[in-house]
Amino acid sequence: MSATPLALEIVDLRVEYPMADGTAFVAVDGVSVSIAPGEIHALVGESGAGKTTVGNAVMGLLEAPGRVTGGAMRIAGVVVDPATGRAPGIEPGRDIGAIFQDPMTSLNPLFTVESQITETLRHHLGMDRRQSSAKALDLLRAVGIPEPERRLRAYPHQLSGGQRQRVVIAAALSCNPRLLVADEPTTALDVSIQSQILKLLRGLADDRGLGILLVTHNMGVVAEIADRVTIMHRGVAVESGPVVEVLDAPRHDYARSLIGAVPRIDVTLPRFAVPGEEAEAAEGARAELRRRAGEQTGAAEGELLRVEDLVVDYRGRGGSFRAVDGVGFSVRAGEVFGLVGESGCGKTTIANAIAGLVKPTAGRVLHRGRPIAAAGTRRPLQMIFQDPYSSLNARMRVGATLVEPILFYRLAASAREAAEDAALLLEAVGLERTAVERYPHAFSGGQRQRISIARALSARPSLLICDEPTSSLDVSIQAQILNLLKDLRDATGLTLLLISHDLAVIRQMCDRVAVMKAGRIVEEAPTETLFGAPTHAYTRELLSLVPSPRPKRRTA
């Protein structure tokens, strides 16, 4: 009796991208991965480590001019042609399912959920319209979408983020694939939706015997559902093995530093461990910012921000929707105040109302006792947005982006002085002064977020509103950004309003925390109190859903 073939077997994979000078950039160098049926194998690493390139090579989706130049690959025991990513009898979409990071871009906004799932069924399995519609409905039920009959006729924009990701999973499973490639399937999802998606993936592996290649930067996700893990660094697999062994006792220095950078929810640490060193000029630049802050405001004390009975309604054709319902809280100068809750609870709407980007229906926002709409209150309130790619003007050099608010608010006597301030800010956020000459596309996601922070600081704010500033960044870049925000708070006395769905980040960063549900604050307390002894049932539920970085020991 022959043994069941592996769902995926990769041996010494090498992927290169030819350069204009005739050399080649090696994106993946000698990586080997094996996945048995029913097994989840996680690929982990920083941005640029090569993990997504491995997934794309498996699916035959390498973008030109990238090419596989070495190694061998088998899917369900069938040899794959490395040049094309194709194998006889193995067809992407039918035998290999794919779940991508952003469900909104994975689905066509012009077609209903039903049409997008049934298209795959008709093309690969030859089903007629009636058969494919019935199968699509069964798939939506299988992935746990509420009211599947109604959701089947909906368009992607009419679903929540978690529901859209479930639709993507349903489509990936439609032809009963032998292998599923999941590329960051829970990034930017709140903790409750993430928990649902992880349970669904684990259940698919256990119940269907589905092999899953999970590409992620979230160590909590790896510990929660993966059986094996491979840690990649600069295209090389530096450590690989069972999750329990690798996460509990990593052998490689890089693996230890990467695991050490994961925010902990069980205890507050003074600083995040970061792989690598920071720019030497950063500390000197921050010392100068500290000196300027002391000259400008002295030792700021007392209440900086007060939100009173805030109500925000959104009106549309179908009536009005109350996004924020009577919220009130205060933030003291120099503290980090956290707002947490699920997607749609009203966190970002509150941030936009404070920043003056949304007009409240009722209530007041006061900055140092003055209404937010009063003259002179705009500059002290600046915002860092979630997406570093869309928050910067792609047509402006970084220097011009930073100089613009300095000149607008007349914070420098001349354009030359403003340019010097811009260069100082770049050093303060850990970048080189020469970055002023470059455009945003020349930087990585983490570097762009540093530029966004420098852009917010250029107006010399007293309050920095941070809306999910690290949710799309890998763990080491996240650690650098959070350390940076801590350093800037210590250096300048800056006050932070930190909005996040990542409770581990909130635990490490905040002095006080407010928990939101359905537009209301259900609990507010000092951080240690809230995480140590939460009083509200909803808070306890959220904390129970956070994936632990301690791996689960699975029984056979």
Side-chain angles (χ1 to χ4, degrees):
M1 184 175 179
S2 60
T4 303
L6 294 172
L8 174 67
E9 184 180 12
I10 300 172
V11 180
D12 293 330
L13 180 68
R14 184 180 176 90
V15 179
E16 296 182 357
Y17 286 84
M19 308 291 282
D21 61 1
T23 61
F25 169 70
V26 182
V28 177
D29 189 4
V31 171
S32 298
V33 174
S34 63
I35 305 176
E39 184 176 69
I40 300 179
H41 192 126
L43 275 184
V44 182
E46 299 176 84
S47 297
K51 54 189 188 297
T52 294
T53 301
V54 173
N56 288 341
V58 170
M59 295 182 288
L61 296 178
L62 279 179
E63 293 186 6
R67 62 175 184 262
V68 177
T69 58
M73 190 186 311
R74 291 181 176 83
I75 296 175
V78 180
V79 177
V80 176
D81 180 357
T84 63
R86 297 290 185 263
I90 301 294
E91 195 171 338
R94 185 190 68 190
D95 302 288
I96 308 172
I99 306 170
F100 297 103
Q101 179 173 342
D102 184 2
M104 198 61 191
T105 56
S106 301
L107 298 170
N108 192 321
L110 301 179
F111 294 93
T112 64
V113 168
E114 180 179 21
S115 63
Q116 296 188 62
I117 298 177
T118 56
E119 179 185 20
T120 302
L121 294 167
R122 291 199 297 267
H123 176 75
H124 289 298
L125 302 183
M127 290 185 176
D128 60 29
R129 184 171 182 176
R130 184 176 179 179
Q131 290 172 322
S132 61
S133 293
K135 178 67 173 177
L137 185 59
D138 288 341
L139 286 165
L140 292 190
R141 291 194 182 105
V143 297
I145 287 186
E147 303 180 85
E149 294 84 1
R150 185 163 69 90
R151 304 300 183 192
L152 198 63
R153 298 187 296 273
Y155 289 87
H157 73 272
Q158 295 174 310
L159 306 179
S160 68
Q163 289 170 344
R164 286 194 291 266
Q165 194 64 298
R166 286 171 182 266
V167 170
V168 172
I169 295 173
L173 297 174
S174 59
C175 297
N176 197 26
R178 310 181 197 193
L179 174 70
L180 185 65
V181 179
D183 189 358
E184 301 282 9
T186 62
T187 294
L189 296 181
D190 60 61
V191 65
S192 60
I193 302 301
Q194 174 180 264
S195 177
Q196 295 169 18
I197 298 300
L198 294 181
K199 287 179 180 176
L200 176 59
L201 291 176
R202 186 67 255 178
L204 291 170
D206 293 339
D207 299 339
R208 297 192 178 201
L210 183 63
I212 300 178
L213 178 63
L214 175 65
V215 177
T216 183
H217 63 254
N218 190 323
M219 288 295 185
V221 168
V222 174
E224 185 78 11
I225 67 167
D227 301 292
R228 298 180 64 84
V229 59
T230 295
I231 296 178
M232 294 186 63
H233 181 51
R234 296 179 180 175
V236 177
V238 297
E239 188 155 353
S240 185
V243 166
V244 173
E245 294 180 10
V246 174
L247 297 194
D248 275 352
R251 299 184 301 274
H252 194 277
D253 289 343
Y254 176 77
R256 285 195 293 269
S257 64
L258 190 67
I259 294 169
V262 178
R264 294 178 59 177
I265 198 169
D266 58 332
V267 64
T268 301
L269 302 175
R271 196 168 181 81
F272 296 94
V274 177
E277 297 295 328
E278 196 171 36
E280 294 181 3
E283 182 51 40
R286 290 171 195 165
E288 175 61 18
L289 292 180
R290 185 186 299 115
R291 184 190 67 78
R292 292 184 182 185
E295 290 180 353
Q296 179 183 355
T297 62
E301 296 180 351
E303 183 180 274
L304 181 71
L305 176 74
R306 174 169 287 275
V307 177
E308 296 180 345
D309 299 321
L310 187 68
V311 176
V312 179
D313 292 333
Y314 290 110
R315 293 180 172 84
R317 296 179 188 175
S320 64
F321 167 72
R322 179 149 293 182
V324 177
D325 189 7
V327 164
F329 61 89
S330 64
V331 182
R332 293 188 291 271
E335 79 170 339
V336 182
F337 187 90
L339 272 181
V340 299
E342 298 176 273
S343 298
C345 72
K347 306 186 301 292
T348 295
T349 300
I350 290 175
N352 289 336
I354 293 171
L357 302 177
V358 169
K359 185 177 180 180
T361 305
R364 295 195 304 169
V365 179
L366 306 175
H367 176 260
R368 297 193 188 279
R370 301 176 62 193
I372 199 70
T377 58
R378 296 293 190 191
R379 182 187 63 78
L381 306 180
Q382 296 295 317
M383 196 163 179
I384 304 170
F385 297 94
Q386 177 175 350
D387 183 8
Y389 291 89
S390 60
S391 58
L392 297 172
N393 190 327
R395 297 185 178 183
M396 292 178 67
R397 296 181 192 271
V398 167
T401 296
L402 300 185
V403 164
E404 183 180 46
I406 296 173
L407 295 178
F408 178 81
Y409 289 118
R410 300 179 182 178
L411 300 174
S414 65
R416 183 175 181 178
E417 185 178 318
E420 175 61 27
D421 286 353
L424 180 72
L425 287 167
L426 287 175
E427 286 186 333
V429 299
L431 296 175
E432 296 181 355
R433 285 178 169 242
T434 54
V436 296
E437 298 298 330
R438 297 157 68 187
Y439 289 93
H441 73 265
F443 297 91
S444 68
Q447 289 172 328
R448 291 189 203 195
Q449 195 63 300
R450 288 172 181 261
I451 295 168
S452 297
I453 293 172
R455 166 66 175 77
L457 293 174
S458 65
R460 300 183 189 174
S462 57
L463 175 67
L464 200 56
I465 304 168
C466 308
D467 187 8
E468 301 278 10
T470 62
S471 67
S472 60
L473 305 178
D474 62 58
V475 65
S476 60
I477 302 301
Q478 172 180 264
Q480 293 172 17
I481 295 299
L482 295 177
N483 280 342
L484 170 61
L485 291 174
K486 282 189 173 186
D487 291 343
L488 292 171
R489 194 271 290 266
D490 295 340
T492 66
L494 193 64
T495 305
L496 302 179
L497 174 62
L498 179 60
I499 295 168
S500 180
H501 64 257
D502 190 329
L503 290 167
V505 167
I506 290 292
R507 174 71 186 264
Q508 298 302 318
M509 291 293 295
C510 297
D511 301 300
R512 289 188 299 132
V513 182
V515 180
M516 291 193 65
K517 181 181 182 182
R520 293 176 175 268
I521 290 179
V522 298
E523 184 169 0
E524 180 185 334
T527 302
E528 292 303 312
T529 301
L530 186 135
F531 281 83
T535 59
H536 198 280
Y538 178 70
T539 306
R540 292 194 293 270
E541 179 188 357
L542 285 182
L543 291 173
S544 71
L545 294 174
V546 178
S548 169
R550 302 289 298 178
K552 293 185 176 181
R553 297 181 182 271
R554 307 185 191 284
T555 57

